[in-house]
């Protein structure tokens, strides 16, 4: 952080010496994500877990799944074998991801090759992040150009034939221009039959310093990921169809899909920019913009029934579908931060606004099997257990009355927000803020020839208090709120019913403790009540 400090110029008579210490270990002391202002973690009234680049390297983490193994209150879900899917505080989502504080809600596997750290913020907080995030969010902080030159890299391989190599190259071009490039190539293999794939990504960035008060960062990321979709093994029924089941044993390597048909093919081209201008030591304006063009196809055959006996043969039912999606995101976020002191009280004031435009085209094309033990008009086929299993040819149909879906969506959002962080002496911090969102969703059902529209205007408050009885200990209490439109986090389910319903609401009440026991040992604990209301549910039978 030393490069961001204003230091005395040549000939200065100042005798002040600034020493920046680096803590050994993995702990991070501060973040800007939880409040959009630089804030000590012990002053944030929210449970936050941060996985640093050093820990990612030391433990050879390659995915979000690897990261979440070290985060309490967070679980990774299978994601149907083609995307990150997280469960935070019991709430499942495929869209509660951010990159450098901007929404990153497309369904794909996120690499860590250009990540400086991964931040997991638990509990809803629409005041900072907007819609969604009912259980929390995951934010990737990416690597930015720095003032020194270096080259680093890493690689790994395993006995299945998977291998990985990445590179991180930093090169200043002058006192005011720095560049950095991160790149990765990865081959996928494991014990499962027919499983393979590869990922290649590159992320060049450049930073310009203008007069010491303004910094401009520009970056581009190209990401291509193609892999086999493997949905795992089916359930083995114990005794009868109504008895408890468990995963099928004896099929550790068996692939329950169709080689060549089960595939995920993802490509992203993302431009991003950040401008930070300091009017003074106490007043800073930051503007961020991101344009992303995403193209995703996933296609798979997968088990939909437990193993059952049909005609004396142990069989499992399979279905198939294809789901192509394109999305274009244009996001802009602007924050003005002002530090001011009024007597014994210190304030950090935040005011900002953000706008976004997200345009999505999605289809759901069901597969039909051409022979064998088929039911549901060929939508489902039962195949006998074997290694490998034999699956009849699959035909994808886009004709009406086959479950075919074709939609076009346009999601527009505009929000403004204000927040005040108040410090009273060295022992009490208060935080209060509110955000107003206007979210409009238009969905065109191209099969039925119908269009639906829903506009929601919502207020999202956040309040918290932090007490610091002694320097390394903080005790906090907070309340926060978030919401999720009834269209879901991927905008794919709006119809005449859901278009008439208010968004789901998440209210979080939390008490917590943060204690730096030693410089390399930190303890956090939280107790919370998370209320999820206005949720659609079937009528009890």
């Amino acid at each position: 952080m030393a490069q961001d400090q204003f230091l005395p110029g040549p000939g200065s008579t100042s005798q002040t010496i600034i020493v920046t210490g680096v803590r050994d270990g993995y702990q991070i002391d501060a973040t800007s994500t939880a409040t959009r202002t630089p804030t000590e973690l012990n002053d944030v009234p929210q449970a936050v877990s941060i996985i640093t680049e050093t820990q990612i390297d030391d433990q050879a983490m390659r995915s979000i799944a690897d990261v979440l193994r070290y985060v309490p209150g967070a679980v990774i879900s299978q994601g149907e074998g083609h995307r990150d899917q997280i469960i935070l505080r019991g709430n499942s989502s495929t869209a509660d991801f951010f990159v450098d504080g901007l929404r990153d809600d497309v369904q794909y596997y996120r690499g860590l090759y250009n990540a400086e750290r991964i931040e997991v913020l638990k509990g809803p907080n629409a005041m900072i992040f907007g819609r969604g995030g009912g259980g929390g969010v995951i934010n990737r902080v990416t690597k930015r150009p720095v003032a020194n030159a270096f080259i680093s890299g890493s690689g790994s391989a395993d006995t299945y034939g998977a291998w990985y190599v990445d590179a991180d190259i930093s090169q200043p071009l002058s006192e005011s221009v720095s560049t950095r490039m991160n790149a990765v190539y990865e081959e996928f293999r494991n014990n499962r039959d027919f499983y393979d794939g590869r990922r290649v990504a590159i992320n060049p960035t450049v930073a310009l310093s203008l007069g010491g008060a303004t910094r401009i960062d520009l970056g581009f990321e190209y990401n291509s990921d193609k892999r086999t979709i493997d949905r795992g093994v089916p359930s083995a029924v114990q005794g009868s169809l109504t008895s408890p089941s468990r995963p099928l044993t004896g099929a550790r390597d068996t692939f329950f899909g169709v080689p060549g048909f089960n595939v995920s093919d993802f490509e992203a081209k993302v431009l991003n920019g950040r401008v930070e201008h300091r009017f003074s030591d106490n007043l800073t304006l930051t503007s961020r913009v991101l344009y992303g063009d995403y193209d995703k196809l996933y296609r798979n055959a997968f088990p939909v029934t437990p193993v059952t006996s049909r005609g004396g043969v142990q069989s499992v039912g399979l279905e198939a579908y294809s789901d192509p999606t394109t999305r274009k995101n244009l996001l802009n976020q602007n924050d003005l931060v002002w530090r001011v002191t009024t007597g014994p009280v210190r304030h950090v004031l935040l005011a900002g606004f953000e706008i976004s435009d997200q345009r999505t085209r999605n289809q759901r094309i069901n597969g039909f099997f051409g022979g064998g033990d088929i039911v549901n008009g060929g939508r489902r086929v039962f195949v006998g257990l074997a290694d490998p299993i034999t699956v009849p040819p699959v035909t994808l149909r886009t004709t009406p009355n086959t479950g075919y879906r074709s939609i076009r969506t346009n999601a527009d959002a505009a929000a403004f927000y204000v927040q005040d962080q108040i410090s009273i002496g060295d022992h009490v911090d208060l935080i209060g803020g509110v955000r107003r969102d206007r979210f409009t969703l238009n969905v065109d059902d191209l099969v039925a020839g119908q269009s639906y529209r829903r506009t929601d205007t919502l207020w999202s408050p956040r309040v918290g208090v932090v007490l610091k009885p002694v320097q390394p200990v903080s005790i906090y209490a907070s309340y926060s709120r978030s919401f999720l439109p009834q269209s879901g986090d991927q905008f794919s389910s709006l119809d005449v019913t859901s278009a008439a319903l208010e968004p789901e609401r998440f209210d979080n009440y939390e008490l917590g403790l943060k204690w730096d026991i030693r410089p390399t040992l930190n303890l956090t604990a939280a107790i919370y009540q998370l209320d999820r209301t206005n949720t659609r549910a079937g009528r009890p039978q």
Side-chain angles (χ1 to χ4, degrees), residues 93-120:
S93 175
T94 66
D96 290 334
F97 298 92
F98 289 74
V99 56
D100 296 323
L102 293 170
R103 191 171 295 275
D104 179 33
D105 55 6
V106 179
Q107 296 182 342
Y108 70 106
Y109 283 120
R110 291 153 180 85
L112 307 180
Y113 76 103
N114 63 343
E116 180 179 292
R117 63 183 182 270
I118 305 297
E119 302 174 327
V120 183

Side-chain angles (χ1 to χ4, degrees), residues 151-308:
I151 298 176
S152 66
S154 66
S156 63
D158 65 30
T159 55
Y160 293 116
W163 59 277
Y164 172 101
V165 61
D166 67 19
D168 186 356
I169 303 171
S170 173
Q171 180 59 61
L173 301 182
S174 69
E175 291 185 358
S176 59
V177 180
S178 297
T179 63
R180 190 169 185 175
M181 185 182 72
N182 288 273
V184 66
Y185 185 87
E186 184 173 9
E187 290 276 352
F188 305 118
R189 301 285 190 280
N190 60 27
N191 63 290
R192 303 280 289 168
D193 295 338
F194 309 112
Y195 184 83
D196 63 6
R198 62 101 185 102
R199 169 164 50 201
V200 58
I202 184 169
N203 181 201
T205 56
V206 60
L208 298 87
S209 179
L210 305 179
T214 302
R215 172 169 170 151
I216 301 174
D217 287 80
L218 301 172
F220 171 76
E221 182 178 20
Y222 174 78
N223 184 2
S224 176
D225 186 318
K226 187 172 183 178
R227 66 179 75 197
T228 301
I229 293 182
D230 184 359
R231 300 283 289 270
V233 299
S235 297
V237 174
Q238 304 300 300
S240 70
L241 289 174
T242 58
S243 66
S245 59
R246 56 180 175 80
L248 178 68
T249 58
R252 177 178 178 270
D253 301 331
T254 304
F255 178 59
F256 289 87
V258 179
F261 182 85
N262 283 51
V263 65
S264 170
D265 195 349
F266 172 77
E267 184 178 70
K269 297 181 279 292
V270 182
L271 285 166
N272 62 81
R274 168 177 167 153
V275 179
E276 182 176 352
H277 179 72
R278 287 185 291 187
F279 298 96
S280 69
D281 289 350
N282 296 320
L283 184 63
T284 304
L285 174 65
T286 303
S287 181
R288 304 173 182 86
V289 64
L290 181 148
Y291 175 77
D293 187 345
Y294 309 90
D295 193 342
K296 170 76 177 288
L297 167 69
Y298 70 92
R299 189 178 62 216
N300 66 142
F302 61 102
V304 293
T305 72
V307 174
T308 186

Side-chain angles (χ1 to χ4, degrees), residues 5 11 31 38 47 61 75 92 198 203 262 290 314 324 397 414 423 429 434 445 467 476 490 496 508 520 528 537:
Q5 303 295 325
T31 179
M61 297 178 183
V75 179
S92 179
R198 62 101 185 102
N203 181 201
N262 283 51
L290 181 148
Q314 293 294 300
R397 299 181 186 174
S423 297
D429 287 343
V434 66
D445 185 337
L467 304 178
Y476 69 87
Q490 294 295 337
V496 66
N508 189 73
T520 58
Y528 64 90

